[in-house]
């Protein structure tokens, strides 16, 4: 396959950046998108040029680092996969492929296609955990959990924090990500203990980080590599309302987001 | 104040105001359709008189205008925040498999609001300021709203503006009911597919119901002499 690549090049966070066009030849349709990028970079290094910087780690669709916005879609033209799982057979010989970094105020570009996703870490630090006190190992079957709830919690926990939801959303909203994090704990008895505090803290931090608001368009659900559903955003809304409306006097967690 | 609310609270306010406005549109459409009864507007005029004179409905009007103002202001605040959340746009516009109308809520919303001012000027304020002819049924005097409607919709430009406006309203309503319920947290894999169908039916019924009025008047009604 011979391809034309238009790639966003930006030397560092403070520089302006621009699209640069590259021609690449003899790409195997069986290779992955990142292997194609590797071949491009090898040719650039051979020529003495700066290789294209992009995030990647596990290359098996589980780490969530390979953030690329390919031809208008996060992780490219395939459903339920990350960029590393995308194969070149999804493109045609002679195609032009436009590759951009995630675009969101909360995800500043560090270099070329690499963005800083610290904003997600901040949201998780705000409440995306359960407090476990030390002591003996509890019996695995001591707390019974309905099968349906366990499955739904696992579906939500499939989120790999890649940021495709933010990248796809016309508002750069992080609600699918926060919805998945709130859901995976809210559905389980261990997570219920801190549920109200968690949802308020995570939403307040999400707002503080400068993500947009959800308008229920559903682009996040369509583009999520782990197929997280909008049901999780509805659960986030429910949990938030229950926490705010049901809180006893003086118990409301106040954050940067107000009420 | 609107700026201080958290993202989800804003969504909930937006949704409640929007659902209230849908309910209002059904009442408005039902009363309007009475103008198509071929009795020289008597039924419609009596209904319109009830709507402007009944104290409970007059009281509810405060909430109606409040609902509009909250929905519009909150919508603008949310949209500005959403634009700010992506300062640099993509070269290739994001592709999405969802409804196209959901992406243009602010655009259809703004256009609907602009024509709404024109609409209020045409009918609401004409009636409120007494700038209207009167008609007598059984010794009681009523505002002849029916004649005002007939006169307006016998004019082609006016009829066309209204049809376009109502189509825009239909596009706006296509992403209304189900979106409002989602914002309130109602999403269930058993019921949500039905909610989407109901949502589309609401949009179609309201749009077709309202558009019927100018179309029927333009083609099938004569001005009373």
């Amino acid at each position: 396959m011979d391809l034309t690549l238009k790639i966003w090049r930006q030397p560092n966070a403070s520089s302006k950046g621009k699209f640069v066009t590259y021609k690449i030849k003899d790409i195997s349709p069986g290779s992955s998108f990142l292997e194609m990028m590797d071949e491009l970079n090898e040719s650039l290094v051979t020529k003495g040029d700066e290789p294209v910087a992009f995030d990647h780690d596990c290359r098996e669709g589980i780490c969530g680092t390979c953030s690329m916005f390919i031809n208008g879609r996060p992780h490219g033209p395939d459903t339920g996969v990350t960029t590393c799982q995308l194969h070149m057979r999804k493109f045609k010989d002679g195609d032009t492929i436009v590759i951009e970094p995630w675009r969101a105020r909360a995800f500043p570009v560090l270099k070329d296609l690499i963005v800083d996703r610290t904003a997600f870490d901040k949201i998780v630090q705000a409440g995306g955990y359960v407090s476990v006190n030390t002591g003996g190992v509890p019996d695995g079957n001591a707390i019974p959990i309905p099968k349906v709830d366990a499955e739904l919690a696992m579906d939500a926990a499939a989120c790999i924090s890649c940021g495709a939801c933010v990248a796809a959303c016309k508002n750069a909203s992080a609600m699918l990500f926060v919805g998945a994090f709130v859901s995976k704990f809210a559905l389980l008895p261990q997570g219920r203990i801190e549920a109200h505090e968690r949802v308020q803290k995570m939403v307040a931090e999400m707002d503080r980080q400068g993500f947009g608001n959800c308008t229920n368009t559903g682009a996040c659900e369509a583009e999520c590599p782990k197929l997280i559903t909008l049901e999780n955003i509805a659960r986030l809304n429910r949990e938030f309302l229950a926490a705010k409306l049901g809180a006893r006097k003086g118990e409301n967690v106040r954050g940067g987001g107000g009420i | 104040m609107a700026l201080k609310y958290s993202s989800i609270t804003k969504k909930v306010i937006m949704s409640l105001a929007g659902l209230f406005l849908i309910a209002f549109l059904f009442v408005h459409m039902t009363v309007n359709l009475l103008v198509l009864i071929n009795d020289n507007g008597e039924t419609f005029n009596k209904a319109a008189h009830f709507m402007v004179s009944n104290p409970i409905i007059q009281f509810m009007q405060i909430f109606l205008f409040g609902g509009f103002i909250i929905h519009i202001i909150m919508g603008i605040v949310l949209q500005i925040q959403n634009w700010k959340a992506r300062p640099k746009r993509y070269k290739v516009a994001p592709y999405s498999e969802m409804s196209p109308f959901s992406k243009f809520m602010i655009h259809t919303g703004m256009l609907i609001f602009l024509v709404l001012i024109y609409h209020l000027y045409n009918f609401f304020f004409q009636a409120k300021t007494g700038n209207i002819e009167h008609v007598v049924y059984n010794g009681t005097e009523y505002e002849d709203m029916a004649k005002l409607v007939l006169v307006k919709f016998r004019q082609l430009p006016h009829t066309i503006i209204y049809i376009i406006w109502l189509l825009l309203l239909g596009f706006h309503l296509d992403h209304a009911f189900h979106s409002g319920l989602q914002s309130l947290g109602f999403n269930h894999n058993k019921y949500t597919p039905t909610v989407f169908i109901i949502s589309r039916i609401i949009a179609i019924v309201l749009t077709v119901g309202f558009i019927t009025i100018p179309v029927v008047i333009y083609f099938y009604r004569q001005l009373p002499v």
Side-chain angles (χ1 to χ4, degrees):
Chain A
M1 296 172 83
D2 295 348
L3 300 159
T4 306
L5 306 171
K6 287 190 172 152
I7 302 177
W8 181 258
R9 299 303 307 263
Q10 183 174 334
N12 55 57
S14 52
S15 51
K16 256 192 92 180
K18 62 177 192 305
F19 280 96
V20 178
T21 306
Y22 300 98
K23 297 269 183 195
I24 187 163
K25 286 184 188 310
D26 299 328
I27 294 294
S28 157
S31 64
S32 80
F33 199 85
L34 295 190
E35 283 164 348
M36 184 276 293
M37 292 298 291
D38 291 338
E39 284 195 39
L40 171 73
N41 276 347
E42 269 182 45
S43 72
L44 289 178
V45 171
T46 314
K47 277 192 283 181
D49 288 345
E50 178 84 7
V52 179
F54 62 91
D55 262 331
H56 62 103
D57 189 14
C58 75
R59 298 211 175 197
E60 54 185 12
I62 204 69
C63 72
T65 49
C66 50
S67 52
M68 285 186 200
F69 197 82
I70 303 160
N71 284 352
R73 295 184 68 178
H75 300 301
D78 201 352
T79 306
V81 298
T82 54
T83 307
C84 61
Q85 297 169 297
L86 176 68
H87 285 87
M88 293 314 292
R89 58 176 170 266
K90 290 279 168 188
F91 298 91
K92 289 195 294 291
D93 188 35
D95 270 1
T96 298
I97 305 173
V98 182
I99 310 169
E100 302 173 67
W102 287 174
R103 294 284 186 204
R105 180 163 56 136
F107 289 164
V109 175
L110 293 177
K111 185 177 182 179
D112 296 343
L113 302 173
I114 299 178
V115 296
D116 182 359
R117 280 171 285 191
T118 306
F120 268 11
D121 298 339
K122 295 281 181 201
I123 296 173
V124 174
Q125 281 167 10
Y129 52 80
V130 282
S131 303
V132 178
N133 296 321
T134 53
V137 180
D139 176 9
N141 294 317
I143 308 169
I145 297 166
K147 170 94 168 114
V148 178
D149 291 350
E151 291 289 346
L152 286 173
M154 276 307 288
D155 288 348
C159 172
I160 51 176
S161 311
C162 66
C165 45
V166 176
C169 177
K170 74 177 177 71
N171 311 322
S173 168
M175 285 208 193
L176 194 68
F177 165 75
V178 178
F181 260 80
V182 163
S183 289
K184 71 180 177 190
F185 294 119
L187 285 159
L188 300 175
Q190 294 90 338
R192 285 308 323 167
I193 300 158
E194 293 158 299
H196 285 183
E197 196 182 326
R198 173 183 307 112
V199 67
Q200 295 177 77
K201 283 183 169 173
M202 289 186 84
V203 169
E205 189 60 37
M206 171 181 80
D207 293 347
R208 213 179 350 253
Q209 293 295 332
F211 290 102
N213 302 279
C214 174
T215 49
N216 307 326
T217 298
C220 54
E221 183 185 56
E223 300 300 339
C224 175
K226 296 297 155 188
L227 307 174
I228 311 273
T229 61
L230 286 185
E231 215 179 325
N232 292 289
I233 299 185
R235 191 176 293 105
L236 167 72
N237 297 340
R238 277 205 300 279
E239 286 289 324
F240 185 82
L241 280 175
K244 287 293 181 195
L245 298 176
R248 286 176 59 81
K249 231 176 160 179
E251 272 185 3
N252 238 356
V253 177
R254 294 213 173 260
I259 63 165
Chain B
M1 191 175 74
L3 288 167
K4 268 187 68 189
Y5 290 150
S6 83
S7 47
I8 294 179
T9 308
K10 287 200 207 91
K11 273 169 53 132
V12 168
I13 294 171
M14 197 67 193
S15 140
L16 291 173
L19 292 172
F20 172 68
L21 294 178
I22 291 178
F24 155 74
L25 285 176
F26 271 102
V27 176
H28 193 9
M29 182 188 70
T30 311
V31 174
N32 279 15
L33 283 171
L34 296 176
V35 82
L36 296 180
I37 297 173
N38 225 343
D39 61 352
N40 278 331
E42 186 174 338
T43 316
F44 176 69
N45 280 340
K46 283 180 175 170
H49 182 75
F50 173 78
M51 296 303 283
V52 295
S53 57
N54 185 288
I56 296 171
I57 290 178
Q58 288 304 297
F59 180 66
M60 284 301 287
Q61 222 169 56
I62 302 169
F63 290 96
L64 177 61
F65 279 100
F68 269 108
I69 291 166
I70 288 169
H71 195 70
I72 291 164
I73 291 179
M74 205 50 102
I76 293 170
V77 167
L78 282 165
Q79 189 59 58
I80 290 171
Q81 285 186 331
N82 291 345
W83 278 326
K84 277 170 66 185
R86 176 163 294 137
K88 178 136 183 75
R89 307 183 121 208
Y90 290 109
K91 186 182 170 73
V92 181
Y95 160 97
S96 154
E97 282 173 354
M98 286 295 284
S99 146
F101 302 129
S102 67
K103 293 187 204 162
F104 301 107
M105 292 304 273
I106 187 71
H107 311 93
T108 49
M110 292 308 274
L111 289 169
I112 291 166
F113 175 63
L114 287 179
V115 186
L116 177 67
I117 297 167
Y118 174 69
H119 173 64
L120 288 174
Y121 167 78
N122 269 332
F123 295 110
F124 186 77
F125 289 119
Q126 298 297 330
K128 280 278 169 190
T129 52
N131 187 10
I132 187 167
E133 289 181 36
H134 284 73
V135 63
V136 178
Y137 303 120
N138 304 326
T140 318
E141 198 171 270
Y142 294 93
E143 301 86 356
D144 198 355
M145 283 298 282
K147 188 170 181 189
L148 184 64
V149 174
L150 281 178
V151 169
K152 293 281 182 193
F153 289 137
R154 290 293 304 163
Q155 303 161 11
L156 186 62
H158 199 262
T159 307
I160 289 173
I161 289 174
Y162 266 76
I163 291 173
I164 294 171
W165 181 47
L166 292 165
L167 285 173
L168 287 170
L169 179 69
F171 299 152
H172 197 75
L173 284 170
D174 189 62
H175 185 68
F177 184 66
H178 69 84
S179 178
L181 289 191
Q182 165 80 10
S183 289
L184 292 176
F186 295 106
N187 183 318
H188 191 289
N189 68 349
K190 196 157 80 182
Y191 306 112
T192 298
T194 317
V195 166
F196 268 84
I197 294 168
I198 294 171
S199 188
R200 182 141 296 166
I201 290 172
I202 289 174
I204 291 171
V205 165
L206 283 171
T207 313
V208 172
F210 275 117
I211 285 185
T212 307
I213 297 159
V215 169
V216 168
I217 289 177
Y218 187 76
F219 287 106
Y220 299 106
R221 291 281 188 276
Q222 300 300 321
L223 275 183
V225 274

